Amino acid sequence: MSDFDRPADVVRRQYLASAAGDLAALRDTLAPDVEWTEMAGFPLAGTYRTPEGVTSNVMEKLVADWDDWTAHDDNYVVDGENVVVLARYTATNKATGKHVHVRVAHHFVVRGGKIVRFEQFVDTAKVLAAMS
């Protein structure tokens, strides 16, 4: 395995692609059969499959509803194929003009240089408050 394929590096590329709005590069970090779960109570709650399903149901909708939506990947905890990222979301809701700054945790499973599973943990009340 090259350094480029180490689980934390794959996850980091996903965050960088997301921050740059490069959905093609983001999809390239995802396995064809990825399972991406947004937490119950989050506006985009659900489990999405396929790289295209993830970007169309999550990233494209975030950009449509929020200005400057950013996931800041602050700290990584790696155990084999498991990568947990302690992060923050920052954004301004387009409809309300309210800003959100909320801590989150993301759990990724990386195999063969691709993200095969993602699960989000977030204080959904703070996100929903910025939307109302």
Side-chain angles (χ1 to χ4, degrees):
M1 173 184 333
S2 73
D3 284 350
F4 192 69
D5 292 326
R6 290 184 318 178
D9 294 327
V10 173
V11 170
R12 179 71 178 140
R13 286 198 315 273
Q14 180 272 148
Y15 281 103
L16 292 171
S18 178
D22 187 344
L23 297 184
L26 192 152
R27 284 189 293 269
D28 190 51
T29 66
L30 305 176
D33 59 347
V34 65
E35 289 185 8
W36 186 282
T37 301
E38 299 285 314
M39 187 169 167
F42 190 70
L44 305 174
T47 298
Y48 305 99
R49 291 171 175 79
T50 77
E52 293 75 18
V54 171
T55 54
S56 66
N57 287 294
V58 179
M59 288 71 182
E60 290 178 18
K61 290 184 178 180
L62 289 171
V63 169
D65 294 338
W66 299 85
D67 284 324
D68 302 318
W69 182 275
T70 306
H72 307 269
D73 53 330
D74 297 327
N75 296 297
Y76 284 66
V77 180
V78 181
D79 181 19
E81 65 184 13
N82 292 284
V83 180
V84 173
V85 181
L86 304 177
R88 296 169 286 125
Y89 292 152
T90 58
T92 302
N93 186 266
K94 290 181 180 181
T96 66
K98 293 179 183 177
H99 187 72
V100 67
H101 182 194
V102 63
R103 296 286 294 158
V104 300
H106 293 154
H107 174 220
F108 295 87
V109 177
V110 180
R111 288 188 195 122
K114 299 286 185 181
I115 296 165
V116 297
R117 195 169 315 122
F118 166 87
E119 188 174 5
Q120 170 202 58
F121 302 89
V122 61
D123 183 347
T124 58
K126 286 188 176 185
V127 176
L128 295 174
M131 298 175 70
S132 59

